[in-house]
Amino acid sequence: MVSLMGGSQRSLRTILLFLVLAVLLLVGLLHMYVGLFLPQLMVEVEGPPVTNIMFLKTHKTASSTVLNILYRFAEMHNLSVALPQGPNIHLGYPCLFTAHYVEGALQAGPHLGPPRQFNIMCNHLRFNLPEVQKVMPKDTFYFSILRHPVAHLESSFTYFKDYTPAFRAARSLDAFLEAPQRFYNASAGLRNAYARKGMWFDLGYDSDAPAEDAYVRARLAELERRFQLVLIAEHFDKSMVLLRRLLRWRLDDLEALCLPVGAIRSGASIADPQLRPYQSGAADILGYILRPDLDNATLRLCLRMVTPEVQYMARLYSLQFPEKPPKKIPFLEQ
């Protein structure tokens, strides 16, 4: 018994020693991380911010977070945004983008001039560079965001389960992965785009093209020439620091001003429809509630900060085109 107790005590000391060393290691890594990363975050940028920006918004890659930042940046600096025409919420997706999908881009009348150009383009579209260049200035900063393909497929399956024929026919993601050729059929059309190389498709390429080495390398070289930055969803914070520096943005934090403790909520539980994000499939898209004690001026500011993507797009549309009927948001009218 004494021997067993002694052995237990030694094991306990070993475990405690291991935990102490682990904590010290984590503290050391945290100190190193803060020492390397925080100065990059806090460094002040020089010169005016970049205001001509094209963000290729790929699906299920944290791209809505970036889009919401760009919307607010545009409104703060009184910039024009290339918004979807009429009642649409996408710039022609999943068809290849053309300039006529942008509200106000093409001038009416017998003598057609060049398309109108905008400062910011960030809504969902399938990339088509010649058409994008018609509505964006020559000095436009191009960037996009990508995600690990496995995580991207998992997220896409959950979000687009009810929309995509290949996903809808599969009982589960595991069933789909066991025999994707059984469920995916290219003849089903563009609604199946989410089920095969979705990011490749968003970049404007043929997701059904054979994965030949020369073809893939040529397309990657094209992307490297066109996009000055590609964010990585798995390294979102670091990506945003790089983006901030390249676009010469200042630092702002409104979070403490606007949000109470527990502000992040399940989207379905948010009572205010203007703050309720769009829900799709089995995904639970989170949203925010605001502090109840805000004065009117602060409330208006904070509302702009937490308004979801679709509602904010409708707001910008009304600001830019007050003469046109406001956009209707079907999921808010149900």
Side-chain angles (χ1 to χ4, degrees):
M1 178 66 70
V2 174
S3 175
L4 289 174
M5 290 181 62
S8 298
Q9 290 174 348
R10 285 193 296 273
S11 297
L12 180 60
R13 286 197 297 269
T14 301
I15 293 172
L16 290 174
L17 178 61
F18 174 79
L19 290 175
V20 170
L21 290 174
V23 170
L24 290 175
L25 177 62
L26 288 174
V27 170
L29 290 174
L30 179 61
H31 178 75
M32 181 179 69
Y33 177 81
V34 171
L36 293 175
F37 185 69
L38 191 58
Q40 300 298 317
L41 178 65
M42 299 305 296
V43 66
E44 283 302 323
V45 294
E46 297 181 358
V50 174
T51 54
N52 294 330
I53 302 167
M54 192 280 163
F55 171 54
L56 177 58
K57 187 182 188 301
T58 51
H59 286 82
K60 310 313 299 171
T61 57
S63 60
S64 289
T65 301
V66 181
L67 173 142
N68 279 307
I69 293 171
L70 290 172
Y71 275 168
R72 287 149 179 81
F73 176 79
E75 185 174 5
M76 181 181 297
H77 293 273
N78 195 30
L79 303 175
S80 60
V81 182
L83 296 171
Q85 188 180 52
N88 300 316
I89 61 173
H90 294 159
L91 292 170
Y93 194 91
C95 298
L96 278 172
F97 172 78
T98 59
H100 83 274
Y101 288 123
V102 178
E103 184 69 73
L106 302 182
Q107 304 175 27
H111 305 291
L112 296 179
R116 175 188 171 186
Q117 294 193 325
F118 298 82
N119 298 116
I120 306 290
M121 174 179 279
C122 54
N123 282 79
H124 276 306
L125 60 83
R126 190 176 178 206
F127 194 58
N128 184 6
L129 179 60
E131 290 292 314
V132 170
Q133 289 176 322
K134 290 180 180 179
V135 294
M136 296 303 294
K138 290 184 178 180
D139 64 347
T140 293
F141 180 93
Y142 287 78
F143 77 105
S144 188
I145 185 168
L146 300 177
R147 184 180 187 182
H148 191 289
V150 174
H152 180 263
L153 177 60
E154 291 174 343
S155 180
S156 297
F157 185 88
T158 301
Y159 193 83
F160 296 115
K161 180 71 165 69
D162 298 331
Y163 177 85
T164 302
F167 291 159
R168 193 166 57 239
R171 182 182 67 258
S172 65
L173 178 58
D174 287 340
F176 178 80
L177 292 176
E178 285 176 4
Q181 67 281 357
R182 174 185 168 194
F183 302 103
Y184 179 83
N185 187 344
S187 65
L190 296 179
R191 291 173 70 92
N192 256 341
Y194 302 109
R196 182 179 173 89
K197 303 175 187 174
M199 293 181 287
W200 192 252
F201 181 86
D202 289 351
L203 290 164
Y205 300 130
D206 181 4
S207 54
D208 292 313
E212 297 174 352
D213 186 69
Y215 168 77
V216 173
R217 289 182 180 277
R219 302 293 81 75
L220 293 178
E222 288 178 359
L223 297 176
E224 289 183 358
R225 288 193 298 268
R226 170 44 51 198
F227 291 93
Q228 287 98 316
L229 178 66
V230 175
L231 311 181
I232 301 298
E234 285 78 10
H235 301 281
F236 189 81
D237 291 346
K238 296 177 183 178
S239 294
M240 292 305 294
V241 170
L242 289 174
L243 180 66
R244 176 184 100 80
R245 296 189 66 182
L246 290 171
L247 297 182
R248 300 194 293 270
W249 284 352
R250 268 56 178 182
L251 285 172
D252 275 320
D253 188 355
L254 298 160
E255 181 179 355
L257 175 68
C258 299
L259 305 182
V261 176
I264 302 177
R265 300 283 182 87
S266 167
S269 71
I270 296 176
D272 187 345
Q274 293 303 317
L275 300 183
R276 189 184 307 142
Y278 174 68
Q279 307 293 310
S280 176
D284 184 12
I285 308 301
L286 302 179
Y288 297 91
I289 60 171
L290 295 175
R291 289 173 49 181
D293 57 344
L294 301 175
D295 61 73
N296 289 337
T298 306
L299 177 61
R300 288 193 295 270
L301 171 67
C302 291
L303 279 172
R304 292 204 301 271
M305 295 301 105
V306 299
T307 298
E309 167 190 347
V310 178
Q311 291 93 316
Y312 208 105
M313 181 270 296
R315 167 188 168 82
L316 289 178
Y317 185 88
S318 294
L319 289 174
Q320 286 189 192
F321 306 101
E323 75 284 1
K324 295 184 178 293
K327 285 187 181 292
K328 293 183 178 181
I329 304 176
F331 74 89
L332 295 181
E333 299 177 354
Q334 295 174 354

